[in-house]
Amino acid sequence: MESTKNVPIENRIQPTVKLVTVVETAPAPTNRPASRVTAALVALVLLGGGARTASFLTDRNLWIDEAMLALNLVDRSPAQLFDKLDYNQGAPVAFLLVAKAGISAFGPSAWALRLVPFIASIVGLIAFSVVSRRLLSPGAAVFATALFALSPHIVSYAGECKQYQSDATLAIGLFAVSLGLLEGKGGFWRWFALAVSGAAAVWCSHPSVFVLGGIGTALLVWAAVERDRARFLSASATVGAWLVSFGICYVLCLKQLGGNKYLTDYWAGHFMSFPPKGLGDVAWLVDHVVAFFVVPGGFGGLMVPLGGFAAVLALVGVREFARERWPLAVALVMPTVLVLFASSLHKYPIGGRLMLFMVPIGGLLVARGAWAVFDAMKDKNRFAAVALLGLLVGASAWQTWEVLQRPLRHEQLAPVLDRVRSEFQPGDRLYVYYGAGPAFTFYTRTQSFPADVVVMGEEHRDDPAGYLAELKNLHGRVWVVFSHPHNYEETIIRTALDCRGPCEREVKKPGAGAFLYRLE
């Protein structure tokens, strides 16, 4: 019999202890950085929208350029807007038709005439924030949106009855539509949307052809480099649709505008000489490139003029885009190349408001370049890096504030005419300086002065004595009305009138005035 003395007895009452491994999972990360960027972009869109609204709601009369376009809109039927416009005006026919619809619905008031550019400015700001978020790093996107939201000339033209604001909106809008394709994506609907958008854009904005040229060149070259036959055919079909639409638009609308000698002479100093014939032509090019970043680029404030600095940052931005996504760099740079080419053919001048469509593109390049400099500096001297960005945004913001306080184009002729009308006596005569003519015609449509007492002056810039000849047959009480004076012409006219008789009454408003003379 075996002994069980040394065999342990199992205790079935005592519980068995086992080791259990407990795995704790970290809570799902919250996307706080992305949400902060989104919040910052929304705040900037609201800030920029507020600035644009303030520009739109200012109680400004139409200045000369607005008045000339407004008279075409008010006096013509929609079908007549396809014809050559009066007052040597030129505007895309689709813009004219939409503006005509606005005043047909709300009446020919200043705010109704400016409604389309204002709406375009808000849409453009939203589109810019979306595009910058797609193309740039989060911080750079916020910085770029800040620059565009507070761009002084963009804000100024948000409240004017001209097409330049919609030019800028369509430029960034075309980039928004083409982003997926520029990122290498495909699909029928992306190509279709770009084809339709581009075909429509040439009727809405004259300089949209330059933006489309940049986008089309980038897509075609990229497809050729990659030897992607299907993509090349899709890009070719898209560009073909644009060309057909542009050809029809040119025959119906643009051909007559291109042959306008007055406009060609007016912008004569803004056409590039090609090929350059000397250092003067090279200096012209550099000067006009820098001038773009001043006006309308918005980096030319009186306190901190940064036009040249912004131009250098834009070049850095081109380099950074080329390193990261060269097709995108081609799309951003080619519009400038095409504008220069058109300028050399005397088809598109490089200057001022006509270049407003390039402001979104310039803003993206400056922001990318500035952010590259910021990244390079921040570890060594963060204060200097932040100061660089703050300087650029602060200079634009300050200039925008000044624009809202003192509008760049401010010609308050309507209250001047109201005062003259209230003091007008039988036998009085009224001389209207030619610069005041369009606004005078617009604001006296419903309350006109007797036709036989009004003398509408003509332009005599090359011979100031012509103004005096217009006045020599006027005697007695004569009201002389000015707005939008050219150089010293108002001084010349008033000096001559002072020699003929005393000035008995002055009515002055910003950018306009009336003077009552008793002439012998």
Side-chain angles (χ1 to χ4, degrees):
M1 184 176 176
E2 292 182 318
S3 174
T4 60
K5 182 177 179 181
N6 297 325
V7 178
I9 300 175
E10 182 179 358
N11 187 347
R12 300 181 181 276
I13 299 176
Q14 183 178 357
T16 303
V17 178
K18 296 182 179 181
L19 297 177
V20 179
T21 302
V22 179
V23 179
E24 294 185 358
T25 58
T30 58
N31 199 10
R32 289 183 179 177
S35 63
R36 286 198 293 267
V37 170
T38 301
L41 291 175
V42 170
L44 288 170
V45 167
L46 292 175
L47 177 62
R52 287 154 175 77
T53 303
S55 177
F56 173 66
L57 294 178
T58 53
D59 185 24
R60 288 186 302 121
N61 291 165
L62 301 180
W63 71 292
I64 183 172
D65 278 18
E66 291 182 285
M68 290 189 291
L69 189 62
L71 287 170
N72 283 282
L73 290 169
V74 171
D75 295 338
R76 293 179 176 227
S77 67
Q80 291 172 329
L81 293 174
F82 284 81
D83 299 331
K84 183 179 179 180
L85 301 180
D86 297 326
Y87 299 101
N88 293 300
Q89 290 295 289
V93 66
F95 170 84
L96 295 173
L97 292 173
V98 176
K100 179 70 175 180
I103 63 174
S104 297
F106 302 109
S109 62
W111 75 266
L113 286 161
R114 293 165 173 160
L115 184 60
V116 173
F118 169 67
I119 294 174
S121 72
I122 300 298
V123 173
L125 177 57
I126 296 171
F128 186 90
S129 68
V130 172
V131 171
S132 64
R133 187 67 181 91
R134 290 274 296 273
L135 297 184
L136 303 171
S137 65
V142 173
F143 174 65
T145 304
L147 288 178
F148 190 71
L150 299 173
S151 181
H153 296 281
I154 289 287
V155 170
S156 176
Y157 277 104
E160 290 200 4
C161 175
K162 295 294 287 185
Q163 70 271 23
Y164 308 119
Q165 183 63 244
S166 56
D167 289 343
T169 294
L170 282 167
I172 196 63
L174 289 171
F175 270 98
V177 174
S178 63
L179 269 184
L181 297 171
L182 290 171
E183 291 171 343
K185 300 174 184 177
F188 170 80
W189 290 111
R190 284 193 176 90
W191 290 108
F192 179 78
L194 184 56
V196 172
S197 299
V202 298
W203 295 84
C204 303
S205 167
H206 293 158
S208 66
V209 296
F210 304 124
V211 180
L212 291 171
I215 294 171
T217 300
L219 293 174
L220 285 169
V221 172
W222 193 9
V225 170
E226 296 294 323
R227 298 184 178 181
D228 188 333
R229 184 171 180 272
R231 192 173 184 83
F232 186 84
L233 291 175
S234 297
S236 299
T238 300
V239 173
W242 301 344
L243 291 175
V244 170
S245 181
F246 175 74
I248 298 172
C249 181
Y250 180 82
V251 171
L252 294 180
C253 307
L254 293 177
K255 187 176 181 180
Q256 57 192 3
L257 181 61
N260 189 313
K261 187 177 183 304
Y262 175 87
L263 292 178
T264 302
D265 292 343
Y266 181 85
W267 292 101
H270 297 277
F271 293 113
M272 185 180 73
S273 177
F274 187 81
K277 298 180 177 62
L279 291 178
D281 291 339
V282 176
W284 181 97
L285 179 59
V286 174
D287 177 70
H288 276 68
V289 169
V290 173
F292 160 74
F293 288 97
V294 176
V295 178
F299 296 100
L302 295 177
M303 290 187 62
V304 189
L306 298 172
F309 185 49
V312 172
L313 291 176
L315 290 176
V316 176
V318 170
R319 177 178 179 273
E320 294 302 311
F321 275 122
R323 291 174 58 191
E324 298 163 355
R325 285 174 281 184
W326 68 263
L328 181 59
V330 171
L332 291 169
V333 171
M334 275 305 296
T336 302
V337 176
L338 294 173
V339 168
L340 291 172
F341 178 69
S343 177
S344 70
L345 299 177
H346 285 215
K347 296 299 182 182
Y348 198 89
I350 301 174
R353 54 190 180 272
L354 297 182
M355 294 297 292
L356 196 75
F357 79 98
M358 284 291 294
V359 171
I361 297 173
L364 290 171
L365 294 176
V366 170
R368 185 64 190 91
W371 202 259
V373 175
F374 173 81
D375 281 338
M377 293 175 58
K378 64 182 181 181
D379 292 334
K380 296 181 180 180
N381 192 332
R382 190 169 185 83
F383 176 81
V386 173
L388 167 68
L389 302 184
L391 178 65
L392 291 166
V393 175
S396 294
W398 182 264
Q399 193 176 356
T400 297
W401 173 254
E402 290 183 331
V403 164
L404 293 176
Q405 294 296 306
R406 293 181 294 276
L408 298 175
R409 294 159 292 277
H410 199 188
E411 298 173 5
Q412 293 296 95
L413 185 60
V416 171
L417 296 178
D418 289 341
R419 182 62 61 85
V420 171
R421 191 179 288 109
S422 68
E423 300 182 17
F424 207 77
Q425 297 179 9
D428 284 4
R429 302 294 300 277
L430 186 65
Y431 173 81
V432 182
Y433 170 74
Y434 81 93
F440 176 86
T441 303
F442 182 84
Y443 285 109
T444 57
R445 293 179 350 271
T446 57
Q447 291 180 295
S448 61
F449 290 88
D452 59 338
V453 304
V454 178
V455 176
M456 299 296 292
E458 296 181 1
E459 180 183 329
H460 300 286
R461 290 187 180 181
D462 297 330
D463 181 20
Y467 300 117
L468 307 184
E470 292 175 342
L471 290 162
K472 69 178 182 179
N473 294 325
L474 297 179
H475 303 281
R477 282 171 49 100
V478 178
W479 291 91
V480 182
V481 176
F482 289 99
S483 71
H484 198 76
H486 178 72
N487 290 340
Y488 302 103
E489 289 181 344
E490 179 180 345
T491 302
I492 293 172
I493 294 172
R494 290 202 60 201
T495 300
L497 291 174
D498 287 338
C499 296
R500 292 183 53 193
C503 179
E504 298 182 345
R505 180 80 168 90
E506 294 186 0
V507 180
K508 291 185 177 181
K509 295 293 181 182
F515 306 89
L516 174 60
Y517 280 90
R518 188 174 295 276
L519 302 179
E520 297 180 357

